[in-house]
């Protein structure tokens, strides 16, 4: 485990003006992400060999686990970081700079001019990185998988070392693949998977998810919000546990009728009445207070008149009842709200604030709930880079799917694990899937499921994991290549949703398949609420049934809400999902119907929050 890291920026320029250091802060950010609990110290030194050596020796003697330098690895006469490092280390680790160079050569031939060094002094690992922020980001991605294990080896941490070795022996995370990249010209021209209708796909997901093994845990009631009760909970005491006053007034005997009453006592909430009331007596009571024995009604203050009080007006002695009371008037009897043995929480109930209040009022501090499956999210694609990288590399895009799907699942009450980005290489993809499956019950992948020569998810799942592909194509828009699979991994069934990489396809299919599956596992039902809506404008139909993103507004004197599509529904245009409260279930076009006219009534799945604060229509 990496506990302490030192990052040294070597640069004459940055030593004079710290604000010009970009590679050092980039290293800090990347190290924080991988080792969030580690202590990180940063310094900037000029390109002076003796000074670099001194700092390296000092930090090695301070029992620092890892020293990362950036800068001074080029061909300039002032670039002396490798020489200083070589003078300090006791053993080289030559494969680290070789691996960094090989990866960097994929980006630029200039990588051949870098002279990075890596080695060990005592129990400290020292690695030189180039001086540019871009090169730092690229190179640390290469060494990230081995840093923690290397530090554990140097620290003789046998527990962590053995765990990594066992993981490697089990094929995770480093895994070979049986999939061979075929010649492009010989690849499939048509998907081998049959096209399923949506109802068929839904039925398959529902039937397969029924095999999820239910697990139950007890959680404190203040942590049960949004969870699902796993067992019925019964009231172990009535509520209220005593006859209680509904109003501020006077507890009386109803058969006394109207007339003057002697005020025997005053009872406020939390008090215990001193003695039973006799005929001709009453007791002043507050709302929620217990009424004395003998009384069977409460007369509100407004129906009484003061007759006599003490000289200091502190105590009422007599009042007159002006309106004849009825038996049980304004009294909540024992168990009026909740009777003894009443069901407070049914198995399968979604726990909300009101239910938590009921359970707390009944004396329950913990509640048994269904354990949600662990979900992992993995993006695939050679074109993807992390959103936090400041500079967008040529021909790349920032990965938005992982954070979007993580937040989408959280919006519906489910947590997930971020498993990063996997490249479209069979072995790397297999390793990434193996690593993710070791952490989760349900794996959600995006990308790699279409018909390109680098769309490898289905063959990797089938050939390397023995997965059963339950379906690989669905007649829907967006999301035609959506895939659902299961496999046995480490003795347990794993459920895999391989979704298209286009952001809108990933968004819609996660709602329709992943959230649906999670609801099946936790809520005993998979269905979203449906409602009928009118179309605000004409809608051109696609040959496939379409799930169109829309918002609702509620005109006065209209029986049905009106739905407006959120602009262009292209599967790459995530703006069409932003703010969507419903998915319109549009039928596929037919010879007789290619357009649904304005005011047509269609079905809508309620998948998001309906924003009543914005009744205006969104502009197309």
């Amino acid at each position: 485990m990496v506990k302490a890291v030192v990052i040294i920026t070597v640069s004459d320029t940055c030593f004079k003006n710290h604000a010009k250091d970009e590679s050092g802060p980039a290293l800090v950010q990347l190290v924080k992400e991988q080792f969030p609990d580690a202590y990180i110290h940063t310094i900037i030194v000029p390109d002076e060999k003796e000074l670099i050596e001194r700092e390296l020796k000092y930090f090695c003697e301070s029992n620092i686990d890892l020293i990362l330098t950036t800068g001074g690895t080029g061909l300039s006469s002032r670039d002396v970081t490798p020489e200083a490092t070589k003078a300090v280390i006791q053993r080289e680790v030559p494969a680290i700079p070789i691996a960094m160079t090989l990866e960097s050569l994929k980006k630029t031939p200039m990588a051949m001019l870098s002279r990075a060094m890596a080695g060990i002094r005592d129990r400290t690992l020292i690695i030189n990185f180039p001086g540019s922020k871009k090169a730092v980001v690229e190179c640390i991605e290469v060494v990230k998988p081995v840093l923690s294990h290397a530090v554990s080896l140097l620290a003789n941490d046998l527990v962590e070392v053995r765990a990594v070795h066992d993981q490697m022996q089990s094929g995770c995370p480093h895994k070979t693949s049986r999939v061979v990249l075929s010649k492009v010209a010989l690849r499939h021209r048509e998907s081998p998977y049959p096209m399923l209708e949506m109802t068929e796909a839904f039925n398959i997901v529902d039937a397969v998810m029924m095999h999820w093994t239910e697990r139950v845990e007890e959680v404190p009631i203040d942590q049960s919000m949004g969870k699902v009760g796993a067992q019925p909970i019964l009231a172990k005491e009535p509520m209220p546990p005593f006859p209680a006053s509904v109003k501020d007034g006077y507890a009386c005997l109803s058969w006394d009728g109207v007339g003057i009453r002697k005020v025997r006592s005053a009872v406020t909430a939390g008090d215990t009445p001193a003695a039973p009331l006799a005929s001709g007596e009453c007791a002043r009571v507050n709302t929620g207070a217990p009424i004395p024995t003998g009384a069977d009604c409460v007369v509100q203050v407004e129906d009484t008149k003061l007759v006599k009080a003490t000289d200091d007006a502190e105590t009422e002695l007599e009042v007159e009842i002006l309106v004849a009371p009825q038996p049980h008037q304004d009294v909540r009897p024992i168990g009026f709200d909740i009777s003894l043995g009443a069901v407070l929480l049914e198995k399968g109930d979604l726990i909300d604030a009101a239910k938590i209040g009921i359970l707390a009022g009944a004396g329950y501090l913990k509640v048994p709930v269904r354990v949600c499956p662990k979900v992992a999210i993995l993006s695939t694609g050679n074109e993807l880079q992390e959103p936090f990288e400041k500079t967008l590399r040529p021909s790349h895009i920032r990965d938005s799917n992982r954070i979007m799907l993580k937040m989408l699942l959280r919006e519906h009450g489910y947590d997930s694990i971020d498993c990063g980005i996997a490249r479209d290489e069979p072995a790397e993809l297999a390793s990434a899937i193996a690593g993710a499956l070791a952490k989760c019950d349900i794996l959600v992948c995006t990308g790699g499921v279409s018909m390109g020569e680098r769309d490898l998810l289905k063959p990797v799942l089938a050939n390397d994991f023995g997965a059963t592909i339950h379906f690989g194509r669905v007649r829907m828009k967006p999301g035609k290549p959506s895939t659902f699979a299961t496999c046995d991994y480490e003795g347990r069934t794993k459920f895999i949703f391989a979704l298209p990489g286009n952001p809108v396809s990933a968004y819609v299919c996660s709602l329709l398949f992943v959230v649906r599956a999670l609801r099946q596992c936790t809520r005993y039902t998979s269905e979203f609420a449906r409602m009928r809506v009118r179309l605000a404008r004409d809608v051109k139909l696609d040959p496939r049934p379409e799930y169109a993103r829309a918002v609702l507004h509620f005109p006065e004197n209209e029986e049905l809400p009106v739905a407006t599509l959120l602009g262009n529904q292209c599967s790459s245009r995530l703006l069409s999902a932003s703010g969507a409260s419903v998915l319109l279930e549009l039928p596929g076009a037919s010879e007789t119907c290619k357009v649904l006219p304005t005011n047509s009534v269609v079905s809508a799945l309620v998948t998001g929050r309906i924003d009543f604060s914005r009744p205006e229509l969104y502009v197309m």
Side-chain angles (χ1 to χ4, degrees):
M1 179 187 227
V2 177
K3 298 178 181 177
V5 182
V6 169
I7 295 172
I8 303 176
T9 300
V10 181
S11 167
D12 291 332
T13 302
C14 295
F15 182 73
K16 295 175 183 176
N17 184 354
H18 288 194
K20 293 188 175 181
D21 182 17
E22 293 185 350
S23 57
L27 265 179
V28 170
Q29 180 62 34
L30 293 164
V31 169
K32 278 183 178 179
E33 290 170 2
Q34 186 169 12
F35 308 115
D37 297 325
Y39 165 79
I40 302 175
H41 180 72
T42 62
I43 62 169
I44 302 176
V45 298
D47 293 285
E48 298 289 344
K49 182 174 179 289
E50 293 75 17
L51 184 56
I52 299 169
E53 285 182 35
R54 188 183 73 188
E55 295 295 343
L56 290 174
K57 289 177 181 178
Y58 170 79
F59 288 116
C60 288
E61 292 168 358
S62 302
N63 295 318
I64 296 296
D65 298 313
L66 183 63
I67 299 176
L68 307 178
T69 72
T70 172
T73 62
L75 302 185
S76 166
S77 60
R78 297 285 291 171
D79 291 330
V80 293
T81 303
E83 285 72 22
T85 302
K86 191 169 184 177
V88 169
I89 61 176
Q90 297 156 339
R91 291 178 292 161
E92 287 191 40
V93 186
I96 289 180
I98 290 172
M100 292 193 300
T101 301
L102 290 173
E103 183 63 23
S104 297
L105 284 171
K106 296 177 183 178
K107 312 292 191 305
T108 172
M110 297 303 172
M112 287 185 283
L113 305 182
S114 179
R115 302 182 304 113
M117 173 75 62
I120 302 161
R121 182 181 176 91
D122 297 327
R123 293 189 173 184
T124 301
L125 175 63
I126 305 171
I127 304 176
N128 300 155
F129 288 94
S132 79
K133 179 181 176 181
K134 179 176 179 294
V136 160
V137 171
E138 292 172 356
C139 290
I140 199 168
E141 287 297 321
V142 177
V143 301
K144 271 170 60 176
V146 302
L147 290 180
S148 182
H149 188 53
V151 169
S152 297
L153 287 168
L154 292 173
N156 200 28
D157 185 347
L158 297 179
V159 174
E160 186 165 341
V161 169
R162 189 176 294 112
V164 172
H165 285 173
D166 289 344
Q167 193 176 49
M168 292 173 65
Q169 290 299 317
S170 68
C172 174
H174 302 291
K175 187 175 176 70
T176 58
S177 175
R178 297 186 180 91
V179 176
V180 178
L181 291 176
S182 59
K183 296 178 181 179
V184 175
L186 301 179
R187 75 184 190 277
H188 283 295
R189 298 287 167 172
E190 185 175 337
S191 174
Y193 296 95
M195 183 88 76
L196 268 62
E197 298 294 333
M198 282 300 296
T199 53
E200 295 178 89
F202 285 155
N203 289 338
I204 288 172
V205 173
D206 289 349
V208 171
M209 296 311 301
M210 290 290 289
H211 296 289
W212 158 254
T213 302
E214 180 177 341
R215 294 175 232 161
V216 177
E217 66 177 352
E218 274 200 334
V219 299
I221 59 168
D222 61 352
Q223 296 175 24
S224 66
M225 185 73 173
K227 297 185 183 298
V228 175
Q231 299 167 6
I233 296 180
L234 307 182
K236 54 190 177 183
E237 56 195 23
M239 180 64 67
F242 48 80
S245 176
V246 175
K247 295 182 178 178
D248 296 327
Y250 298 86
C252 301
L253 284 66
S254 61
W255 53 85
D256 281 345
V258 297
I260 295 175
R261 303 285 182 273
K262 179 181 177 182
V263 181
R264 175 74 174 272
S265 61
V267 184
T268 60
D271 290 345
T272 300
L277 290 182
S279 181
E281 293 180 335
C282 69
R284 190 173 73 250
V285 293
N286 293 122
T287 302
I291 66 171
T293 304
D296 70 337
C297 66
V298 172
V299 178
Q300 63 181 358
V301 174
E302 295 86 341
D303 293 335
T304 67
K305 183 174 69 174
L306 178 65
V307 174
K308 186 178 180 181
T310 57
D311 292 340
D312 59 7
E314 291 290 335
T315 305
E316 297 174 339
L317 299 176
E318 293 181 352
V319 296
E320 183 179 0
I321 304 301
L322 303 176
V323 179
Q326 300 298 313
H328 315 302
Q329 173 180 301
D330 289 332
V331 175
R332 283 191 303 150
I334 293 173
F336 177 81
D337 296 328
I338 300 172
S339 61
L340 179 65
V343 178
L344 304 178
L345 185 75
E346 294 275 11
K347 180 179 179 180
D349 278 354
L350 183 66
I351 300 173
D352 57 15
K355 284 190 170 61
I356 289 174
I358 291 170
L359 293 171
Y364 286 96
L365 300 180
K366 292 187 175 182
V367 56
V369 298
R370 295 193 83 179
V371 176
C372 181
K374 292 181 180 178
V375 182
I377 300 174
L378 175 69
S379 290
T380 70
N382 293 341
E383 78 282 10
L384 298 179
Q385 68 180 70
E386 295 288 357
F388 59 76
E389 296 180 38
K390 186 175 180 181
T391 303
L392 188 62
R393 300 198 291 273
S395 304
H396 279 63
I397 58 173
R398 292 185 175 87
D399 179 22
S400 62
N401 282 351
R402 277 156 44 229
I403 184 66
M404 175 188 69
L405 296 187
K406 188 177 183 69
M407 294 302 105
L408 179 64
L409 293 181
R410 183 178 296 176
E411 186 178 313
H412 286 266
Y414 304 107
D415 291 327
S416 57
I417 305 164
D418 184 348
C419 288
I421 300 170
R423 289 173 54 81
D424 291 325
E425 299 290 341
E428 184 170 340
L429 185 56
S431 296
I433 291 173
L437 290 178
K439 303 174 185 176
C440 73
D441 303 299
I442 296 176
L443 173 59
V444 182
C445 304
T446 60
V449 292
S450 192
M451 292 294 294
E453 66 269 21
R454 291 281 175 170
D455 288 320
L456 304 172
L457 255 176
K458 292 170 187 173
V460 165
L461 288 173
N463 292 284
D464 297 327
F465 295 90
T468 299
I469 308 295
H470 296 285
F471 59 76
R473 282 197 306 165
V474 185
R475 199 168 79 90
M476 65 181 294
K477 180 185 178 183
K480 182 173 72 171
S482 294
T483 299
F484 177 49
T486 54
C487 72
D488 184 77
Y489 190 81
E490 296 182 344
R492 298 189 65 175
T493 299
K494 305 290 182 174
F495 306 89
I496 304 158
F497 293 91
L499 310 178
N502 276 326
V504 173
S505 299
Y507 175 90
V508 171
C509 294
S510 286
L511 284 170
L512 295 177
F513 295 123
V514 181
V515 173
R516 180 188 182 92
L518 289 168
R519 289 167 66 92
Q520 176 78 14
C521 293
T522 57
R523 299 189 185 180
Y524 303 95
T525 177
S526 58
E527 294 295 334
F528 286 100
R530 273 186 171 85
M531 63 191 308
R532 295 167 68 242
V533 300
R534 292 189 183 277
L535 295 179
R537 302 180 186 179
D538 292 355
V539 173
K540 183 179 179 181
L541 298 177
D542 189 84
R544 288 172 283 156
E546 182 173 5
Y547 291 86
R549 285 72 64 202
V551 291
L552 301 181
H553 76 293
F554 300 80
E556 294 183 10
N557 304 320
E558 287 281 346
E559 291 184 2
L560 297 177
V562 175
T564 302
L565 271 64
L566 282 166
N568 189 313
Q569 297 284 300
C570 174
S571 62
S572 63
R573 191 174 185 272
L574 195 53
L575 286 172
S576 69
S578 178
S581 52
V582 295
L583 293 178
L584 302 184
E585 295 182 297
L586 301 178
S590 66
E591 289 297 324
T592 58
C593 182
K594 298 184 182 297
V595 176
L596 288 180
T598 301
N599 286 327
S600 295
V601 176
V602 299
S603 174
L605 298 176
V606 181
T607 56
R609 296 183 179 91
I610 297 177
D611 189 356
F612 290 97
S613 67
R614 299 190 62 191
E616 75 277 6
L617 290 176
Y618 283 71
V619 178
M620 293 282 283

